[in-house]
Amino acid sequence: MGPETSIDLTALLDKIAGQAAQADRSRTLDRDLVASIKQDPVSRLTACKLVGGVEATIQSCGEALESIASKCTSTAWVLMNHLGQTHLITALLGDEHPSLLRQLVEERNLVCFPVGAGTSVEAVRSGPTIRLHGKSEFGSGARYADKAGVIFVLAGEDEARFALVDLHHKGVEIEDNWRAMSLRASSTDTLHYNNVEIVDSASVPFPRMYREVFRRPRYPVISPRYREDWMAISNMWLGYMGVGLVQSCLDDVVENIRERTAFMGVRVAERANVHMNIGHAQANISAARDSVRSVCAETDGRIDACIPPNESDYFRQLGAAVSALKLCDEALGLLVRVMGANGLREGPAFERRWRDFQAIPIHLNTHPDRVSEIIGRHILGLSMEHTF
């Protein structure tokens, strides 16, 4: 009952699965795998054809991430961030700097966008360049990336600006400080900028309510897909990743219990409560998959018809992802019951996947408290000032 993606990931999935356990132990993705991902079309899925990308549907991207998450969620996390942030970067830079975007694709660059709590970057204009000082937090994929998006406000100005930073610049330091139990190899690290120079003419304004700006017909985009909000798309993809991860857990459980015996020699696979829990879990997973699949199909339909999204579309995207992850969370709890303490002792892959899942529903994008609050405000017609 896996994904139905049209993207051929066969060779890449074998590499991803082969390094997953070691990546979890070492907190680092395999170097050769990262190089393979950069060269594979999967890294260019969301880039439009105008800049050399694949221009895959949002649904196809989600199904690819579902498959990858079933093998190694850290790998899927890094790739999801790269794809989502490529979407944002293209919306921001595309009309003014298509050659820069084409260069990103041609050079097979991975990107990250550290802008988490604690981020503080100072910027000073110096002739044709801008000098950056400070730090950016939560840069998922930072140690594997080539470029990072950075938001800053120039001294003496009020409006925020956006630019790309070359992570190979001598003034960039990546602090390896992600120590969570989940997504251990995701490199969700801190970037430090010490007198890092960027070209002033390659920076662009960063509107606070960017999702509203991108929808406006007068705002130029190089493809209708970039009127869709990157955070909403990332949410849907996180829903797909949760589905892939929990489906792999269910598959592990089914394989694990076939020959297991419980106390007094009772076969685990013959216990009625096991049947109920597995059946309930699979129903949840299938419903979760249907939820994100349908909202991705709606999104692709708008893109094909060149119809900009509205706020209701945006909240539908967020809500579908949160609902899918809630179903996955319940399914995972049912599978833990089936595994039992002895099964968890014998199944390290299950335990790793359980740990990885814990980060997905509480990510800022998909946190049910945040999403439910803003959807509720929208329904009640209250003012909305949330950037995402």
Side-chain angles (χ1 to χ4, degrees):
M1 298 186 181
E4 299 174 0
T5 179
S6 58
I7 299 166
D8 185 7
L9 297 171
T10 306
L12 197 59
L13 287 176
D14 289 341
K15 293 180 181 178
I16 292 169
Q19 59 87 60
Q22 177 59 27
D24 183 66
R25 289 191 293 269
S26 66
R27 294 183 176 271
T28 302
L29 297 182
D30 180 78
R31 184 187 301 270
D32 292 339
L33 172 63
V34 174
S36 295
I37 289 173
K38 290 183 179 183
Q39 295 304 316
D40 194 275
V42 75
S43 68
R44 307 188 295 280
L45 290 181
T46 196
C48 66
K49 292 179 180 177
L50 184 64
V51 297
V54 175
E55 201 168 326
T57 64
I58 304 302
Q59 182 174 333
S60 292
C61 293
E63 290 170 347
L65 289 166
E66 177 184 347
S67 294
I68 293 169
S70 73
K71 306 300 181 184
C72 175
T73 316
S74 285
T75 302
W77 192 268
V78 170
L79 185 58
M80 181 276 297
N81 277 274
H82 162 75
L83 294 175
Q85 289 149 16
T86 296
H87 185 99
L88 171 67
I89 290 166
T90 308
L92 287 166
L93 300 179
D95 185 62
E96 294 186 36
H97 302 285
S99 60
L100 177 56
L101 296 169
R102 195 172 296 111
Q103 181 182 358
L104 280 177
V105 173
E106 290 174 352
E107 294 180 357
R108 305 298 190 253
N109 286 171
L110 286 184
V111 299
C112 67
F113 186 30
V115 67
T119 294
S120 178
V121 179
E122 297 178 354
V124 177
R125 184 176 278 118
S126 177
T129 64
I130 295 173
R131 298 180 182 274
L132 303 177
H133 299 267
K135 67 175 182 177
S136 294
E137 300 274 9
F138 290 85
S140 291
R143 281 182 279 123
Y144 318 120
D146 304 286
K147 300 290 193 299
V150 60
I151 300 173
F152 56 89
V153 177
L154 284 160
E157 298 186 9
D158 297 323
E159 300 299 320
R161 298 189 67 80
F162 174 89
L164 289 174
V165 172
D166 184 351
L167 295 185
H168 305 292
H169 189 287
K170 64 181 181 180
V172 176
E173 176 191 353
I174 300 174
E175 182 183 356
D176 180 1
N177 61 352
W178 179 251
R179 290 292 175 266
M181 70 173 183
S182 306
L183 308 165
R184 289 179 173 181
S186 67
S187 181
T188 304
D189 297 324
T190 300
L191 277 68
H192 297 271
Y193 303 121
N194 182 22
N195 201 32
V196 174
E197 289 186 350
I198 58 174
V199 179
D200 188 1
S201 61
S203 69
V204 295
F206 188 86
R208 182 175 179 275
M209 296 297 289
Y210 53 81
R211 74 172 184 271
E212 294 182 357
V213 173
F214 294 163
R215 296 173 192 159
R216 297 170 186 167
R218 66 179 179 272
Y219 182 86
V221 291
I222 60 174
S223 168
R225 69 195 293 116
Y226 301 114
R227 297 204 184 280
E228 296 286 341
D229 181 71
W230 77 286
M231 294 290 278
I233 289 172
S234 298
N235 270 30
M236 295 185 291
W237 289 344
L238 283 168
Y240 263 116
M241 287 166 54
V243 167
L245 189 159
V246 179
Q247 182 70 65
S248 66
C249 286
L250 186 146
D251 295 343
D252 278 354
V253 168
V254 170
E255 186 62 30
N256 177 275
I257 66 172
R258 289 188 188 280
E259 304 301 327
R260 277 182 57 198
T261 56
F263 291 113
M264 308 300 292
V266 177
R267 290 175 58 82
V268 173
E270 294 177 358
R271 297 177 66 94
N273 63 321
V274 168
H275 305 160
M276 290 187 293
N277 286 329
I278 289 178
H280 188 170
Q282 184 61 72
N284 275 27
I285 297 167
S286 297
R289 182 181 288 113
D290 288 344
S291 178
V292 289
R293 181 179 288 164
S294 64
V295 77
C296 280
E298 290 174 11
T299 303
D300 288 322
R302 282 196 301 275
I303 292 170
D304 290 343
C306 299
I307 299 173
N310 55 38
E311 279 290 87
S312 294
D313 296 326
Y314 170 73
F315 290 121
R316 168 143 167 75
Q317 291 167 324
L318 298 188
V322 169
S323 297
L325 290 171
K326 184 175 181 180
L327 288 166
C328 289
D329 193 18
E330 183 183 27
L332 194 54
L334 295 170
L335 295 174
V336 170
R337 289 189 206 172
V338 175
M339 287 289 282
N342 198 45
L344 290 176
R345 183 189 69 178
E346 297 172 354
F350 182 96
E351 185 263 351
R352 164 170 55 84
R353 289 169 174 144
W354 180 89
R355 284 190 284 104
D356 283 344
F357 181 82
Q358 304 312 305
I360 300 178
I362 60 170
H363 188 283
L364 178 61
N365 299 19
T366 53
H367 199 296
D369 294 351
R370 186 188 77 86
V371 173
S372 297
E373 178 204 357
I374 60 178
I375 290 176
R377 291 184 66 85
H378 174 67
I379 292 170
L380 292 170
L382 300 177
S383 61
M384 297 292 300
E385 297 182 356
H386 296 76
T387 302
F388 54 86

